[in-house]
Amino acid sequence: MTEEKMMVAERRNYKVHTTEDAKQIVIDYLKNTELSEYEIDFGLPEINDRYNIWKVPLLYTKEAVGDIVVDAYSKEIDKKLSSEIPIIRNRIIAIQASFSQRTVTKTKKKRSKKEFVVSNLDNMIIKGRSELALKTLPEQSIDLIFTSPPYYNARKQYSEYESYDDYLLLMRKVIRECRRVLIDGKFFVINTSHVLIPRNSRNESSTRIAVPFDIHQIFIEEGFEFVDDIIWQKPEGAGWASGRGRRFSADRNPMQYKAVPVTEYVMVYRKKPCVLIDHFIRDNPNQAIIQASKIEDGYEKTNVWYISPARDKRHPAIFPAELAEKVIKYYSFVDDVVLDPFGGIGTTAKAAKKLGRRFCTIEVSDDYIQHTINELEVNLIDMFNGRKIVYKDLSKESENEEFKSFEHLVHRLLREGHSKDELYDALLYGLKKKN
Ligand SMILES: C[S@@+](CC[C@H](N)C(=O)[O-])C[C@H]1O[C@@H](n2cnc3c(N)ncnc32)[C@H](O)[C@@H]1O
């Protein structure tokens, strides 16, 4: 530090005097975040005496990945001015990905042969909450994920979520666990749509929540690469049931216009590091699988897929088998394991079975699981791939000791004065000690 800066620090009674002080504060802070597992270096911390802050640059393998800002007076981290932890983590993952890509190209034959992962999972039907049940699956054991998550319902009387943030937190937990179980470079395809919140009275207007865009952000932060946004287009009549557009249709006044939604998103992501796709084709030791998985003529050539919605009196929100079959054919090979963490009555599992893939379907509702079990013939050997179909009931997991003690811990922390926002941050980034 220059003498002049030293004088400023002293004159102003800063608690953080030197670059070493600033660095140490950041080192301590990072220990309680999800960055603790990475070897992070530091650039030269700089003081900004206009705003009374220290900016500490973070480096990963000599590349800048973000800055953490420390308040010079209080020694507190200024989270608003600092780079967000998930974003820094994502930059690190991207750097690691580019490294493994470079190494794959350099020592191509030797490395890729060694790293070709073949999952050993049996077909599975799991009853339980995905955010817990996924933890029982081994790392890198899934080849494709296709799902349609539960609908966020903003109406308190129907909603199982306290708030939209709670809903997004569940999504983040599931997406994070899904990334762990997915094989590097493989696909996660998710069907979502914006949510319409009907008006409560004639004097109010309905509103919409752009759920797919918020979920997109989570995917990026959790280490996925965005690949495609496929539009699932339904016939025109399909959207009128929501009532949207009726008023305009009658009155035709400008500004009352509301487009009737007849599309849903089928968003396609890949787990980083994005190993070359060629690796999954050339290095598969069973080339018969590659031949058997070729896609016949008549495939979807654009990102708009015309598919009629499905109805089933057993479940209010299933997606059509045709959609699941297309996704499975385009993004997985025969004998791969296809996971649906919000499995409903098993549309993804049935499509996977039909197409000679293995399946893993997780669903919380007992009714929906029963329908899935009835149709998928549990305990039988799958005729196609000779693997067992295993049923696991993990619904009691939520009552097990680990979960109970977690719930007790949450209640205790709330009683001790930690705010809900703080606990939310803690789940994502680690808990700071309350003074
Ligand atoms: C949109 S539906 C999926 C329907 C499915 N695609 C089908 O065709 O049958 C979402 C499903 O997620 C289930 N669900 C909600 N929260 C869950 C959780 N935490 N873990 C597992 N399943 C959950 C719901 O019961 C519902 O069946």
Side-chain angles (χ1 to χ4, degrees), residues 234-421:
K234 304 172 196 177
E236 207 182 296
W240 285 91
S242 70
R244 203 173 162 83
R246 284 215 192 111
R247 176 86 188 269
F248 179 77
S249 162
D251 301 349
R252 306 297 169 100
N253 293 320
M255 293 179 76
Q256 272 180 346
Y257 175 74
K258 281 197 179 122
V260 180
V262 288
T263 60
E264 291 193 20
Y265 284 99
V266 178
M267 304 291 282
V268 182
Y269 299 91
R270 257 183 102 199
K271 175 181 169 179
K272 290 180 184 172
C274 293
V275 190
L276 285 180
I277 298 282
D278 255 7
H279 162 72
F280 299 109
I281 298 162
R282 289 207 203 130
D283 300 335
N284 190 324
N286 187 349
Q287 284 294 308
I289 282 184
I290 306 298
Q291 286 312 314
S293 310
K294 295 260 185 214
I295 293 148
E296 65 276 18
D297 285 349
Y299 61 89
E300 298 287 353
K301 295 203 172 59
T302 73
N303 74 333
V304 182
W305 298 1
Y306 293 87
I307 302 176
S308 291
R311 284 196 191 293
D312 193 305
K313 49 183 185 315
R314 297 170 301 174
H315 194 298
I318 62 165
F319 49 47
E322 187 184 345
L323 180 65
E325 286 174 21
K326 287 198 158 127
V327 168
I328 292 170
K329 273 195 225 163
Y330 299 165
Y331 296 107
S332 73
F333 292 91
V334 165
D335 201 39
D336 275 357
V337 184
V338 183
L339 164 72
D340 188 339
F342 299 111
I345 54 172
T347 310
T348 306
K350 279 178 263 173
K353 187 166 185 257
K354 179 174 164 191
L355 296 169
R357 274 70 169 172
R358 283 172 275 163
F359 57 83
C360 178
T361 181
I362 307 174
E363 167 61 51
V364 71
S365 147
D366 189 45
D367 272 3
Y368 300 153
I369 276 289
Q370 282 313 321
H371 292 308
T372 311
I373 292 173
N374 293 344
E375 286 192 41
L376 286 164
E377 299 171 297
V378 172
N379 291 329
L380 289 186
I381 303 287
D382 186 330
M383 293 300 283
F384 190 91
N385 52 37
R387 303 245 184 194
K388 275 193 296 197
I389 302 179
V390 178
Y391 170 59
K392 271 197 196 171
D393 183 350
L394 299 181
S395 55
K396 296 279 177 295
E397 285 294 287
S398 57
E399 288 158 27
N400 77 12
E401 286 314 307
E402 190 190 348
F403 193 73
K404 260 200 226 153
S405 58
F406 175 71
E407 277 205 307
H408 285 155
L409 176 67
V410 170
H411 286 179
R412 203 192 76 210
L413 291 168
L414 287 172
R415 272 201 311 275
E416 283 175 3
H418 290 275
S419 69
K420 250 180 116 182
D421 276 353

Side-chain angles (χ1 to χ4, degrees), residues 96-127:
Q96 288 177 331
S98 72
F99 263 131
S100 70
Q101 198 74 275
R102 271 177 251 162
T103 331
V104 165
T105 345
K106 263 194 199 156
T107 53
K108 206 171 165 193
K109 272 200 170 149
K110 224 170 127 202
R111 243 184 97 85
S112 52
K113 274 231 158 57
K114 207 168 56 180
E115 286 190 349
F116 193 88
V117 185
V118 180
S119 170
N120 203 24
L121 272 196
D122 282 321
N123 298 288
M124 288 176 115
I125 301 174
I126 303 177
K127 181 164 95 177

Side-chain angles (χ1 to χ4, degrees), residues 215-229:
I215 291 185
H216 168 82
Q217 188 58 28
I218 297 178
F219 269 98
I220 299 308
E221 287 170 6
E222 291 300 324
F224 284 87
E225 184 175 279
F226 167 64
V227 178
D228 260 322
D229 55 338

